Amino acid sequence: MQLFYAPDFITDSYTLCEEESAHCVKVLRASVGDTLHFTDGRGTLIAACVEVADKKRTVVRAVERLAEPHPLPYDLTVACAPTKNIDRFEWFVEKAVEVGCGRVVPLCCDHSERRIVKEDRLRKIAVSAMKQSLKCRLTEVDAMTSFDDFIGADYGDAQLFIAHCDPSDDKRLLRDSVEPGRSVVVLIGPEGDFSPEEVERARAAGFRPVSLGESRLRTETAALASVMTVALINQ
């Protein structure tokens, strides 16, 4: 199945943009009467019939709207300091969407080597990964957020964790700390790790220190490991 992203597919009739129209007609060889699938990124899967197959202006009509076929039984937010090499952080965003992550927050920390991100590009990567992995809910990608602003927000009854590298801290493994079926928020630090002061402020805000294992992981690897851990616990 080929999945298209159409957040404004609200009425029965929908016209694809020129780029998507060209992809449908020239690459997918779509013709009148064919069925295409769309998502609004908010959990709806739309089956639509091609009424006009034109490389500049393809028109479809919705024939069925379904609730998200395989909704995740949990909600996960990963706040991660972007890497100095932005390619590695972009890789994480792509994989987080594929595995299952509700929200990614680029985090600005004391030791951050990158303090600016192009959130529009990150969101495009998230859209592409959603379509590729056939998901109907688009992962939210926030603008760069300060550490203190993030930990000061209200997360309701979510489970709050901070993964850091200080071996002197008494930490449980994340896999032994997450309760399935609940919302989870995980903090992942920059290449230089969180500062001791940040760890203490996170603790005071209700975040529990956790470990991701014995290996020393790169930032983007640690972030993906947290996504994988929560996903596996919820299977």
Side-chain angles (χ1 to χ4, degrees):
M1 182 175 75
Q2 182 80 27
L3 188 64
F4 293 88
Y5 177 48
D8 52 349
F9 196 158
I10 300 170
T11 61
D12 287 343
S13 182
Y14 180 76
T15 302
L16 280 71
C17 67
E18 185 172 340
E19 181 182 354
E20 294 280 40
S21 294
H23 180 68
C24 276
V25 175
K26 298 174 70 175
V27 178
L28 300 180
R29 307 289 185 184
S31 58
V32 173
D34 287 351
T35 298
L36 302 178
H37 293 89
F38 298 79
T39 180
D40 59 6
R42 298 182 292 275
T44 304
L45 178 65
I46 306 162
C49 180
V50 177
E51 291 191 328
V52 178
D54 183 274
K55 64 182 180 182
K56 292 188 176 181
R57 186 178 177 276
T58 292
V59 180
V60 300
R61 179 167 295 277
V63 295
E64 187 176 27
R65 292 177 184 265
L66 301 171
E68 193 170 3
H70 304 290
L72 295 176
Y74 62 94
D75 183 61
L76 171 63
T77 294
V78 175
C80 176
T83 50
K84 183 177 181 180
N85 180 349
I86 194 61
D87 289 352
R88 286 161 44 192
F89 188 73
E90 291 176 352
W91 175 87
F92 159 66
V93 171
E94 178 184 72
K95 303 309 172 190
V97 174
E98 290 180 16
V99 175
C101 183
R103 180 181 174 211
V104 172
V105 182
L107 202 60
C108 188
C109 304
D110 288 347
H111 297 158
S112 289
E113 294 191 70
R114 173 175 289 280
R115 298 177 181 272
I116 297 174
V117 295
K118 296 178 180 178
E119 58 263 28
D120 287 347
R121 174 170 169 77
L122 294 176
R123 288 168 185 150
K124 287 180 180 178
I125 291 170
V127 168
S128 179
M130 174 190 68
K131 291 158 60 178
Q132 188 277 329
S133 57
L134 300 181
K135 287 185 167 51
C136 293
R137 193 167 296 276
L138 179 61
T139 298
E140 297 177 42
V141 179
D142 288 18
M144 183 72 84
T145 303
S146 75
F147 180 85
D148 287 326
D149 283 349
F150 185 83
I151 66 171
D154 182 5
Y155 298 104
D157 64 350
Q159 303 170 88
L160 309 177
F161 303 106
I162 178 170
H164 68 91
C165 300
D166 185 354
S168 66
D169 202 352
D170 184 20
K171 297 175 290 186
R172 296 181 67 195
L173 288 169
L174 179 63
R175 74 180 186 199
D176 296 331
S177 304
V178 171
E179 297 177 29
R182 291 184 57 194
S183 296
V184 179
V185 180
V186 182
L187 301 176
I188 302 292
E191 281 109 328
D193 201 11
F194 292 113
S195 68
E197 294 79 13
E198 286 174 327
V199 174
E200 287 308 309
R201 294 202 299 275
R203 277 181 177 273
F207 287 80
R208 288 181 281 163
V210 289
S211 169
L212 297 172
E214 297 298 326
S215 299
R216 185 173 69 176
L217 305 177
R218 289 183 179 272
T219 294
E220 73 279 10
T221 310
L224 183 58
S226 70
V227 174
M228 292 291 298
T229 297
V230 175
L232 289 170
I233 287 172
N234 278 277
Q235 283 190 351

